[in-house]
Amino acid sequence: MHPLRIALAAALLATTATTATTVTTAGAAPAASRESSLSWTTCGPATDQTAQCAWLRVPLDWSRPTGRKINLAVARHPAADPAHKIGTLLFVPGAGVSVVNQVATPWHGGLGLLPELVDRFDIVGIDPRGGGVDLTYGSADATVHSASLDCARPFNDPAVSRFPADLAGYVKLLKHNRAAAASCDQDLIRHLDAETQARDAEALRAALGESQLTWFAWTYASLLAQTYAQLFPDRIRALVLDGPLDHTVPTATYVRTQVHETEEAFGRFVAWCGRDPSCALHGQDIPAIYDEIVERANRVPLPVDGLDHAITGEEIGYIVMYVLENGTIPAGYGGWIDLAYALANLRTGDTTGWAGAYATTLAPAYYHPYRAGGCVDFPRDITTYAEFQALRRELAQLAPHTGGVSDSWDYVSGCQGWPVTSVAPRRPVVVHDAPPTLLVLTRHNPLAPYDLATPVANQIEGSTTVTYEGDAHIAYFNSPCVRDAELAFLTTATPGVAACADGT
């Protein structure tokens, strides 16, 4: 999951009551667990005081189990209603995000939108390898965190374009990528892939003494969860994937689809703005305004208070991409209403608020583990200058306004020259003897497009799907109907509705 969505959830929970329906049928509980072998301690004074934290010691390289070990931070929030506890739920929100703080104080990570989950499950999470951004902004910061990649150089350099139009720019990009990767912990950066993290999750299950875990995973983490289900299908009681993505499609197909969906999302934002008087740019030529903002910032980057550099149009484009995914959620929570205000302000040179958006999109705490993980888990078959330029030109035609910004292009460009080999699956990650699995697919999703999400259902035997017909990246945040369906499945392991049209 992208951090803007989790930050959004933290704000949303402060003012919005959940609309989810309480589920009273718990389903079959897993076998009684053994005593945990972890040494639990408090997570610190800033966290929920019922939460517990510990260190999980695992091999750096699971193919060499007797080799170097590393410590991963884990957190557990005991079920608030132990008399009706179902089991243990592993929460996996995605790459580049610190999970410990969200589990230790679950109201900050979005889980509070379904308090029944906090009531009925012990919630656990592993701070990812390489660390991640703290989306509680210190308000619920735990005292233990997994080590960062310790990169000495930022992966995002505003002076290095992701869209170089000539050979000199491409060579500059290659040199930057190689130097950025070389500045990190060289052992850790090579062991961030989905299978490695799936085996970390299995080590946590064993350390907890649980026979099975219930999994709740979002977007990028769907590959991790799917890999775990392939390796250890009998260790999962129930699995919910919100916004899954098939990582086995060819790179060019992956990129074209995401770029097309991002441009479509921009068009849907423009159409909404034309209909809704609450839009700060209502009645104006938004495509022309946006194009002018990006072009001007690329010519003369815009200074931002609290940021160490002026932001370029390219950086604005990537931040806008992540806001486009949020749809028409209420003002103040990072959706289309806020995007319209932000663009109206940028038009006059006002960059208020963009430092925070940058920090949860392109700054090292998030961007280092996100990019490094992507470079090992994303297929890399665009490897020559000619292939790169041919696809770049095609994307410019596909996306005349958004220009080709997408997660996948970030990987294509950011992983050029990357010194670590990709281990992305070359074949579908098929799960036989699958646990009860619910896939939530969103019709309009720039980051996990519908056409790239639907194949996952065919890869997990017997899985059930719910389609959200609106605009979202994580439908959980946009749709009470989806939340109800996910809650019902997590608590009963049985499917409910097949489609949700609320919030469109």
Side-chain angles (χ1 to χ4, degrees):
M1 173 194 185
H2 191 270
L4 289 178
R5 296 314 312 270
I6 303 178
L8 160 68
L12 189 61
L13 290 169
T15 57
T16 305
T18 180
T19 58
T21 302
T22 301
V23 174
T24 57
T25 304
S33 61
R34 305 187 309 274
E35 187 67 26
S36 170
S37 64
L38 296 167
S39 297
W40 297 104
T41 64
T42 176
C43 291
T47 64
D48 188 321
Q49 292 305 289
T50 65
Q52 303 164 311
C53 284
W55 292 108
L56 176 69
R57 194 160 178 79
V58 297
L60 170 73
D61 181 351
W62 278 99
S63 69
R64 299 179 178 178
T66 61
R68 177 186 164 187
K69 303 295 193 298
I70 60 173
N71 290 323
L72 301 176
V74 299
R76 175 172 67 180
H77 189 280
D81 183 4
H84 297 95
K85 175 182 167 182
I86 295 170
T88 297
L89 183 147
L90 179 66
F91 176 50
V92 193
V97 177
S98 173
V99 182
V100 164
N101 289 351
Q102 297 175 69
V103 169
T105 308
W107 324 109
H108 282 276
L111 290 172
L113 283 170
L114 287 182
E116 292 89 342
L117 292 181
V118 184
D119 287 343
R120 306 292 295 280
F121 290 94
D122 287 350
I123 309 291
V124 298
I126 308 174
D127 233 21
R129 291 181 177 224
V133 68
D134 169 25
L135 292 168
T136 75
Y137 303 103
S139 63
D141 194 19
T143 53
V144 298
H145 290 284
S146 298
S148 76
L149 287 174
D150 198 27
C151 305
R153 296 182 59 142
F155 287 3
N156 175 64
D157 183 343
V160 180
S161 174
R162 296 177 182 84
F163 299 89
D166 55 31
L167 182 58
Y170 182 74
V171 171
K172 185 177 183 179
L173 176 66
L174 288 178
K175 290 181 178 178
H176 165 73
N177 291 342
R178 289 169 181 154
S183 76
C184 305
D185 180 324
Q186 291 301 287
D187 289 329
L188 188 55
I189 203 172
R190 285 169 165 76
H191 298 94
L192 300 173
D193 58 280
E195 180 173 339
T196 292
Q197 295 192 62
R199 294 188 183 280
D200 292 342
E202 172 61 6
L204 175 61
R205 182 206 60 77
L208 291 169
E210 297 283 359
S211 61
Q212 292 182 315
L213 297 176
T214 299
W215 277 65
F216 193 19
W218 294 340
T219 64
Y220 189 100
S222 66
L223 178 62
L224 190 164
Q226 198 173 347
T227 303
Y228 183 94
Q230 184 186 58
L231 295 171
F232 312 107
D234 61 331
R235 300 301 190 184
I236 302 178
R237 171 189 161 272
L239 168 62
V240 170
L241 303 179
D242 194 325
L245 196 58
D246 182 3
H247 281 238
T248 63
V249 298
T251 299
T253 301
Y254 195 128
V255 177
R256 289 187 194 106
T257 307
Q258 276 200 334
V259 167
H260 175 265
E261 288 299 319
T262 300
E263 184 76 8
E264 287 284 301
F266 182 78
R268 289 170 64 81
F269 161 68
V270 170
W272 162 81
C273 208
R275 296 190 305 268
D276 195 327
S278 70
C279 174
L281 295 172
H282 179 66
Q284 301 183 51
D285 188 348
I286 297 174
I289 290 169
Y290 180 71
D291 292 349
E292 192 276 332
I293 287 171
V294 171
E295 183 182 357
R296 175 161 45 92
N298 277 331
R299 289 196 315 268
V300 182
L302 301 174
V304 176
D305 287 342
L307 200 59
D308 64 355
H309 68 274
I311 59 174
T312 65
E314 207 171 283
E315 291 175 306
I316 290 170
Y318 268 92
I319 293 170
V320 167
M321 176 192 71
Y322 288 118
V323 180
L324 282 172
E325 73 182 14
N326 294 344
T328 55
I329 52 180
Y333 303 135
W336 290 359
I337 294 175
D338 296 319
L339 176 58
Y341 277 111
L343 293 178
N345 289 338
L346 274 185
R347 195 180 185 187
T348 65
D350 182 355
T351 59
T352 301
W354 285 84
Y358 177 92
T360 52
T361 303
L362 298 173
Y366 167 73
Y367 201 50
H368 280 164
Y370 153 83
R371 165 75 72 74
C375 285
V376 295
D377 274 334
F378 183 80
R380 302 212 306 266
D381 48 23
I382 304 294
T383 57
T384 70
Y385 175 68
E387 292 170 335
F388 181 92
Q389 287 296 5
L391 185 55
R392 182 192 66 80
R393 288 190 293 268
E394 183 180 349
L395 299 183
Q397 295 295 318
L398 278 174
H401 298 297
T402 54
V405 295
S406 66
D407 268 0
S408 52
W409 183 257
D410 187 79
Y411 292 145
V412 168
S413 60
C415 302
Q416 293 292 304
W418 199 257
V420 182
T421 302
S422 169
V423 295
R426 302 304 178 188
R427 299 180 180 85
V429 184
V430 177
V431 181
H432 300 292
D433 301 318
T437 302
L438 177 69
L439 307 177
V440 178
L441 316 177
T442 298
R443 185 72 65 182
H444 304 291
N445 185 343
L447 272 69
Y450 186 80
D451 289 346
L452 298 183
T454 51
V456 179
N458 296 324
Q459 297 167 15
I460 304 177
E461 288 184 347
S463 60
T464 301
T465 62
V466 169
T467 298
Y468 173 53
E469 298 291 345
D471 295 87
H473 179 35
I474 308 296
Y476 171 88
F477 289 103
N478 292 63
S479 168
C481 173
V482 166
R483 288 198 293 274
D484 286 351
E486 292 176 337
L487 173 65
F489 199 86
L490 290 168
T491 53
T492 68
T494 57
V497 298
C500 288
D502 57 330
T504 57

